Amino acid sequence: MDIDVRALLSRRINIAIIAGAVLLLLLPLILRHEYWIYVFTIGYYYAILALTWNIMAGYLRRVSFAHMALAAIGAYTSTLTIINFKIPLVLGMFLGMVVGALSSLFIGYLSLRLRGVYFTLSTLAFAEIFRIVVTVEYQYTRGSLGLEAPKLLGNILTYVPYYYVALAFLGAVTILTHLMLNSGLGLRVKAVGDSEEAAEALGINSARIKVFTFLYSSAIASLAGAFYGHLIGLVSPEICGFEQLALVIAMSVVGGLGTIPGPIIGALLIELLAEYLRGFGIYRYLILAALIIVTIRFFRQGIFGWVKKRVLLGVGM
Amino acid sequence: MVIELTALAENLIVGLLMGSFYALMAVGLSLMFSVMRIVNFAHGEFYALGGYILYYLTTLFGLNNFLALPLVMAGMFAIGLTVERLLLRPLLVEALGGEYAIITTFGISLFIVNFAIAFFGPEYKTPPSFVPIFRISLGTLYVSGDRVLVSLIAAGILLATCLIIYKTRIGLAMRATAQNRDGAMLCGIEVFKTNMTATGLAAMLAGAAGALLSPIMLLFPEAGSIPATKSYVVIALGGMGSLPGAIIGSIVLGVVESLGTVLLSAAYRDAYSFLVLITVLLLRPQGIFGVKVREV
Amino acid sequence: MSSKGGIGAKTLYIIVGLVAVLVIAVGVAYYLSLPPAGQEVQVIKIGGVGPLSAPGASIQGVELKKGIEIAVELINQEGGLLGKKVELVFEDTQGTPEKGTTAMEKLIMQDKVPIVVGEYHSSVFLAEMEVARKYGIPIIDASAWSSTIRTKQYREVFATAPCTALNAEHEAKFIVASGFKNVLILAEDTDYGIDMARDLTSALRRLGFNGSVVTEIVSRTAKDFTPTLLKYKNLPTPPDIIVLPATPPAGFLIIKQAYEIGLVPEIALAYEVTGAGDRYTELWPAVGDGGKYLVYFTPYSPRITLTSLGDKVREIYKSRYGAEPTYIVFNGFDAAWAALHAIKKAGSTTPSALIKALETLDIMGTRGVIKFSNATSPAYYYHQWLEVPVLTCQYKEVNQAPTESDIIYPPEFATGTLVKP
């Protein structure tokens, strides 16, 4: 019975996901408007970050405050190596990912063997140090003015190709993450997240699992950051600002912690809402903060979790 | 680089003074962590809120600072109780993982900052100072008098807090809960009441720090973020949940920063504390005064 | 679990549940993307950009917007442009380059504006000008100071705002003319602070200054600058002027703390170059007695003689908002004024015609005749309004307002002279 339900659930979700994916693929044809295509493209960037942040917070149950800093590391590494060493753009982005991954390895090694909150504090410290270094080492990074990044696709005048690149990137990350989380490795990740003691008792090397998960999440975040830099054409410390982090956390939490589609839905919803409610200005983050608090307090599973439980399984709250 | 003795002395004093304010922040944070196992990421916003309450009490109602300070502390205590009752307790009742507490306090922090931006305004405010700016000169050595006085008040509040923790029943309950939660519960300690008091005290101390410091350091919505990040470093340095560790850690950090600015570079001032944190994690993760605790 | 009969219906539910959100979003987006009917004949739209909310500098963004609004109003009172009313579409760029790009895309693609004015953050303007260039739409920098914006020499980009290099020239002349010998620059750790320190140093050298110039970079978020200040106070030859390219609160805190340790004003004068003029209501409570003898740089002082247009703007602003306008209001006004008159001069809203009109524009603004230089050397002269006045003033009493403080440099605007304790 239990297995039946799960199989049923996953089939229904698959149908919904395919319908959603088809819709997103056709979107530029329906929405022949550069501005909204651009907004969606940015939305996909946030979706990737929310998705990977959620692997840490929702599955491994460790909160990282360095996620945006890692994205910024990817962006800066890529742009700086391309400008200074004239390497091909794709190689630059790859290097961005590698440097981001190495940084996460360092933080992970330092703090993941300790209690969860040490990890959070270390990521906070790392993010702060990174932000200070970027603003102070002005001659290389051009400080808060930002560094001009070459465009990913050269000087084309439309965002449609970027839209598809971003969508493909998001699709690849989603599929990869789905496969990872449903493999033996993913089961171990969830086990360590649920209870480290129990996982250790089952013979799982929890330290290694934690470092791996952080590495995975960070490497993708860095690559996404590099992509973002080459999309907007400017790399600046705003990428790792407090507000951006808040945005990503809100997207994950509101969409649904511990689910894969949740952060994607949350990201697109919040990004579109933010664009639509541009005029609200100063109340924007106030609303986001209230959303985070209320979701955690009353709708802990978020939008996707709620839909899944209520609509798919017919279980009351 | 050679620095003269007076310069060294002046910097030591400045570092000690800053240390006393870090201690006010860190003790509350440490208390909350030891009792509830929650690191409050909205601690800096409690600081700013304390500053704003003082600002409005003194400018709108014309209250004297010394009269307003107890009111600020009472108000912040009440805010702390409310936060615990409405937002933190449900997480502990359901025994949810630490990630929910972190996200909740992060949300509270975001909320208070943006509430302040929207309703108090993003500009810099300066509450009237506790005492007029004056200098104390000891020979060639200048010390800012208002800072010395204000840090004496901070030390007084700290002392009173320590008395509460070490000499009263509720203090005993907090220490017992910190040592062993289930054991405390078995002994008839009302753990949730203890939690509530700890959060109230933490908010009160952070608010007091904000009220004392904002006339000196200016007040704006994000004013608390730097003092708060410093206090996170301090509690890791001193050992999570250790009160003497928090106090000594604060003083050490104040002095390290002050001397680091002169001996090394001023631009990296805020980075020193984080480097301290990373070094501590690398060499002695349990902190100076901490005991190695297993992850629960 | 309910019976199997419900499966089909429930499958439908999920698809509806998950996709509905996107469909609604797309619907809304599509609806918004449709051009409103009949707009093209009724009004001419011009675009405005600037930070109205965090993390941007919203105080300045709001001032800027007010200035632009007054310009649009005045034009409409004169009967609009080309027989049509002018409408301002202002977008909040939130101080982030990404939102700047989005705002520009929206203004150009959706609102079909032929020209954009505004911005306060240089990093955001750098992103915005790329979009302007992509579509060939002219953009006028109202209040972003970075010289990089000018040195890129885009045809579409014009600047009525003064730039760091020009301001540094002014400050260097003042320092040399006033006979200071040891200059300490405490610059904040941003592009603004560091650019200013570098430009000021090189401007001083160009002017043949032979005293010492030392730059120290300080953290913008630090609260306690006492250690740094003590270091310079205890030097054998301490500085006699401390230049502060540091935005508040850092700049204000430095002044206060320098006073507390006895460095200012007895040993050295503080020279604030960022916001002591327009933000004096925040300055005085923060610095107290330490603000006496404070020298400050400003692009505008209420003591300066404005043009008759400038007086008019000032009166409108004062009667409406009950306060003296800051330089940012005039910056916003002048940028919008130039844009509107370019449309008038070109007799059309074709972007290329507007660029040509701007290049030869010659129109009275609030603080003089607005003309854009076509010189390319030095590089930052390109499309820059060179004659925009910049001033150095001094507070000679505690709690003095800019309306009472003397302009002490340049001599043609001066209402008093430098006073030392």
PDB file of all heavy atoms in Angstrom, chain A residues 27 105 186 211 213:
ATOM      1  N   LEU A  27       7.534  28.993 -23.711  1.00  0.00           N
ATOM      2  CA  LEU A  27       7.275  30.333 -23.207  1.00  0.00           C
ATOM      3  C   LEU A  27       7.728  31.468 -24.128  1.00  0.00           C
ATOM      4  O   LEU A  27       6.951  32.398 -24.400  1.00  0.00           O
ATOM      5  CB  LEU A  27       7.906  30.480 -21.819  1.00  0.00           C
ATOM      6  CG  LEU A  27       7.213  31.468 -20.898  1.00  0.00           C
ATOM      7  CD1 LEU A  27       5.774  31.072 -20.685  1.00  0.00           C
ATOM      8  CD2 LEU A  27       7.929  31.515 -19.564  1.00  0.00           C
ATOM      9  N   LEU A 105      35.175  23.002  -0.089  1.00  0.00           N
ATOM     10  CA  LEU A 105      35.894  21.887   0.529  1.00  0.00           C
ATOM     11  C   LEU A 105      36.603  22.370   1.791  1.00  0.00           C
ATOM     12  O   LEU A 105      36.585  21.721   2.840  1.00  0.00           O
ATOM     13  CB  LEU A 105      36.928  21.357  -0.477  1.00  0.00           C
ATOM     14  CG  LEU A 105      37.287  19.881  -0.394  1.00  0.00           C
ATOM     15  CD1 LEU A 105      36.055  19.026  -0.528  1.00  0.00           C
ATOM     16  CD2 LEU A 105      38.306  19.553  -1.467  1.00  0.00           C
ATOM     17  N   GLY A 186      22.267   9.449  -2.280  1.00  0.00           N
ATOM     18  CA  GLY A 186      21.222  10.352  -1.814  1.00  0.00           C
ATOM     19  C   GLY A 186      20.560   9.832  -0.552  1.00  0.00           C
ATOM     20  O   GLY A 186      20.252  10.594   0.370  1.00  0.00           O
ATOM     21  N   VAL A 211      30.572  16.602   3.663  1.00  0.00           N
ATOM     22  CA  VAL A 211      31.481  17.379   2.822  1.00  0.00           C
ATOM     23  C   VAL A 211      31.091  17.219   1.347  1.00  0.00           C
ATOM     24  O   VAL A 211      31.066  18.195   0.597  1.00  0.00           O
ATOM     25  CB  VAL A 211      32.948  16.955   3.062  1.00  0.00           C
ATOM     26  CG1 VAL A 211      33.862  17.600   2.038  1.00  0.00           C
ATOM     27  CG2 VAL A 211      33.377  17.347   4.463  1.00  0.00           C
ATOM     28  N   THR A 213      28.105  16.606   0.079  1.00  0.00           N
ATOM     29  CA  THR A 213      26.867  17.326  -0.239  1.00  0.00           C
ATOM     30  C   THR A 213      27.139  18.816  -0.391  1.00  0.00           C
ATOM     31  O   THR A 213      26.644  19.473  -1.312  1.00  0.00           O
ATOM     32  CB  THR A 213      25.817  17.111   0.874  1.00  0.00           C
ATOM     33  OG1 THR A 213      25.835  15.754   1.233  1.00  0.00           O
ATOM     34  CG2 THR A 213      24.444  17.512   0.408  1.00  0.00           C
TER      35      THR A 213
END
